Amino acid sequence: MTRDDQDRLAAEHVLGLLEGDERGLAERLLASDESFQAQVEQWRSRFSEWDSTAPDAAPGEALWRRIESGLQADAQAEPAQVSSRLVDPPRRQAAPGLLQGLWDSLSFWRAFGMAGAVAALVLAAGMGFFAVKASRQPILVAVLMTDANQPGAVLRTFNDGRAELTPLGDMQIPHNHSIQVWTFPDPAGAPVSVGVVQAARTVLLNLQNLPQPHSNQLFAISVEPLTGSPTGQPTGPVVMKGTTATAL
Amino acid sequence: MKADRGEIASPAFDLNHALRGCARGDRLALRAIYDSEAPRMIGVAMRLLRRRALAEEAVHDTFLQVWQKAESFDPARGEARSWIYAILRNRALNILRGENRTDLVEDFEPMGLVSEEENAEAVLMRLSDTGSLKRCLEGLEPARRQAITLAYIHGLSHGELAGRLGVPLGTIKSWIRRSLISLRDCMA
C-alpha cells in the first residue's frame, strides 16, 4: 500500500466511511502501525473544527449520575483483581499447600463467585438474545424488484405487527425527493401509504392500522416530494414492486 | 483547577491536565471535563445519531472509556480534545452502523424519522474564519463540499450520500477521494 493509499484510508477511517475489509484493515493498522496512527491523528485534528460547529445541548444531571454510578461499578471490580494479584505468587511456591491455600483464599472464592455470576449473566443474556431473535422471525417476506428486474429492497413483516424495509445495494433517492411505500390490503382497492423514506437505510413501516398482511399482498414504492405524496395516492413513478410470500 | 495558575489557560492545556487527573483516579477531573465538554459532545453525537437518548448513551459510554483509558493518553501523540472526540465519534458511529441498528429502527416514527438535517453550507458558515478548514473547503466545488461535510457531521455512508445527492456511488467515492487530497494539500 502506498503512503497515499494509507493516507486516504486514514482520512476515510476518521470520516467513518470505511466498510468491510478496509474497515478491518484500518483498525489493525491503528493498533500496530505508528505512521498510520500519525496520519489518523492529523486527519482528526484537521476535521476537529467541524466538531466546534455542533450546537451545544445542555446535559441533564441524570446523565452525570449514570456516568458516576458506572465509575463506581468499575471501582468495585478493581480491588478483587489487585488482591488476587498480590496473593498469588507465594502460593505458587508452596505447591503441596496449594489446595488448602485456595480453600482458605478469600480472593479465590471471590473470583469463583464472580466467575459464577458472570456465567449466569452470559447465560441470561444469551437466552434473552435468542428470545429476541425468535420473536423477530419474519412472517412474510417480499423482494421488491426494480423496473430493470433487479432486487431493490426487501420487506419483512413480524408477528408483533411491525414491518421493516431494507434497501439493497445502493438504492438511490432522487435529490429533494422521498420514496413512499404503498400496499394494497384489498387487491381491488386503492393503495394505502405505509411510510415515507428519505434515507436509504432500514426503516420501520407503519402497518398497525391495516388488516394483518397476507401472502401475495402487493407492496410498491413510488418517488414522491420530500414530505410524501400530497394527495394520499401515489403521484410519482413506481420504481419498485413485489408481493409477499410466507417466510420459511 | 485553572484558578491557581497565572498563565492563560488554553482549552487544550486544561484537558491535558484533567486527563492526568483522571489517570490518578480524581473524579473531580472527570467532572471538570464533563462540565466543559458534555454539551458540545451531546451536540456532536446528536448530529450523528439524531436522537437525544442515543446521543446521551454515546456520551455516557465515552466518559467511562475516558476514565478507564486516561492513563494511556499520550499528549506527545495528539491533542487531548481530539482524543476525547475520537472516542465519542467511534462510539456513536458504532451505534449508528450496526450494533444497535434495530434500536434505531424500534421507535421510528414514519413521518418525523430524522431530525432536520443541517445544510452543509450553514455548517461552513459556522466554521471559524481563522481555521484552515473553512478556507480549504471553500476551494472545493459545492457538491463535493456537501458530500464530505455530510459524511463527517451526520455519519452518512457512501450509499447514503449517493442517494441524498442523487449521483452514482462511484462518483461519490471519487468526489470524496479527490476532496481529501485537495484538503490535505491545502491544510498542510
Side-chain angles (χ1 to χ4, degrees):
Chain A
M1 186 185 275
T2 68
R3 209 180 145 72
D4 270 0
D5 284 341
Q6 195 170 300
D7 192 58
R8 193 265 308 162
L9 196 70
E12 292 193 347
H13 167 78
V14 174
L15 286 171
L17 279 174
L18 295 179
E19 289 166 274
D21 291 349
E22 283 203 320
R23 191 169 159 190
L25 175 63
E27 274 158 19
R28 280 196 304 280
L29 285 172
L30 198 56
S32 60
D33 183 322
E34 278 189 18
S35 75
F36 187 72
Q37 287 162 4
Q39 285 170 322
V40 164
E41 185 51 42
Q42 271 191 325
W43 282 109
R44 278 180 186 155
S45 128
R46 287 173 187 141
F47 290 153
S48 67
E49 288 183 49
W50 264 322
D51 295 333
S52 318
T53 66
D56 282 355
E61 198 53 33
L63 178 57
W64 174 254
R65 279 198 301 272
R66 280 184 52 220
I67 292 169
E68 228 183 0
S69 62
L71 302 184
Q72 252 139 27
D74 196 37
Q76 277 160 9
E78 250 166 49
Q81 288 167 6
V82 171
S83 64
S84 71
R85 245 183 270 145
L86 290 178
V87 182
D88 242 16
R91 195 154 293 132
R92 258 188 217 126
Q93 293 160 3
L98 184 66
L99 272 180
Q100 187 61 47
L102 273 180
W103 186 259
D104 292 339
S105 159
L106 179 60
S107 61
F108 169 74
W109 288 111
R110 203 185 265 158
F112 189 79
M114 286 287 279
V118 167
L121 267 177
V122 167
L123 189 64
M127 285 175 68
F129 176 74
F130 286 111
V132 168
K133 268 265 208 228
S135 75
R136 290 189 59 78
Q137 278 290 320
I139 306 175
L140 295 171
V141 178
V143 177
L144 307 190
M145 305 291 276
T146 65
D147 295 344
N149 270 325
Q150 293 298 313
V154 172
L155 185 140
R156 293 173 298 164
T157 73
F158 298 94
N159 60 8
D160 55 2
R162 289 185 322 206
E164 272 180 30
L165 179 81
T166 305
L168 300 173
D170 50 317
M171 181 169 90
Q172 289 178 19
I173 302 175
H175 187 48
N176 265 338
H177 285 74
S178 66
I179 55 169
Q180 192 156 5
V181 189
W182 307 87
T183 189
F184 295 75
D186 170 9
V192 180
S193 169
V194 291
V196 178
V197 181
Q198 282 108 351
R201 58 173 65 159
T202 297
V203 292
L204 201 63
L205 301 173
N206 181 15
L207 265 59
Q208 263 88 0
N209 304 325
L210 299 179
Q212 183 79 21
H214 47 83
S215 72
N216 236 4
Q217 181 166 330
L218 179 62
F219 283 84
I221 292 181
S222 68
V223 177
E224 301 291 343
L226 257 190
T227 51
S229 161
T231 66
Q233 290 295 304
T235 60
V238 170
V239 289
M240 279 180 219
K241 53 183 188 293
T243 53
T244 51
T246 310
L248 297 178
Chain B
M1 208 180 304
K2 12 182 162 171
D4 57 346
R5 298 190 176 262
E7 73 226 59
I8 300 164
S10 72
F13 170 81
D14 274 343
L15 282 178
N16 277 328
H17 186 77
L19 283 179
R20 280 200 301 278
C22 290
R24 285 194 310 269
D26 176 4
R27 285 189 188 192
L28 288 177
L30 190 73
R31 175 72 209 213
I33 300 177
Y34 182 83
D35 286 337
S36 88
E37 295 300 322
R40 182 56 48 86
M41 288 166 76
I42 292 177
V44 166
M46 282 276 284
R47 290 208 292 206
L48 291 166
L49 295 167
R50 314 292 165 86
R51 282 198 189 72
R52 177 77 188 211
L54 286 177
E56 291 204 356
E57 199 57 41
V59 172
H60 168 268
D61 296 351
T62 303
F63 272 96
L64 292 189
Q65 283 194 45
V66 165
W67 181 252
Q68 284 156 7
K69 295 181 177 172
E71 228 169 333
S72 73
F73 168 69
D74 177 0
R77 286 166 63 181
E79 293 160 32
R81 194 160 211 277
S82 85
W83 185 77
I84 293 171
Y85 280 79
I87 295 175
L88 175 67
R89 280 183 59 83
N90 255 337
R91 187 67 201 115
L93 286 171
N94 279 339
I95 293 176
L96 186 65
R97 288 286 150 78
E99 60 181 74
N100 282 357
R101 181 131 239 177
T102 49
D103 290 2
L104 276 177
V105 166
E106 226 97 282
D107 58 340
F108 161 83
E109 315 107 72
M111 291 301 283
L113 87 155
V114 289
S115 60
E116 201 46 51
E117 224 159 58
E118 273 177 293
N119 179 309
E121 295 303 302
V123 172
L124 181 75
M125 296 313 289
R126 279 214 294 283
L127 282 170
S128 155
D129 286 323
T130 53
S132 52
L133 185 60
K134 183 176 192 175
R135 175 176 53 82
C136 294
L137 282 170
E138 278 169 344
L140 301 177
E141 279 174 36
R144 297 179 185 204
R145 178 160 71 223
Q146 191 180 11
I148 198 166
T149 307
L150 293 181
Y152 186 85
I153 68 169
H154 290 310
L156 296 191
S157 66
H158 282 124
E160 287 166 337
L161 288 169
R164 188 67 46 90
L165 303 180
V167 296
L169 187 62
T171 308
I172 282 292
K173 288 188 175 172
S174 79
W175 278 5
I176 296 276
R177 286 173 191 201
R178 288 195 203 143
S179 301
L180 287 171
I181 292 171
S182 67
L183 285 180
R184 184 187 61 193
D185 294 345
C186 174
M187 296 180 86

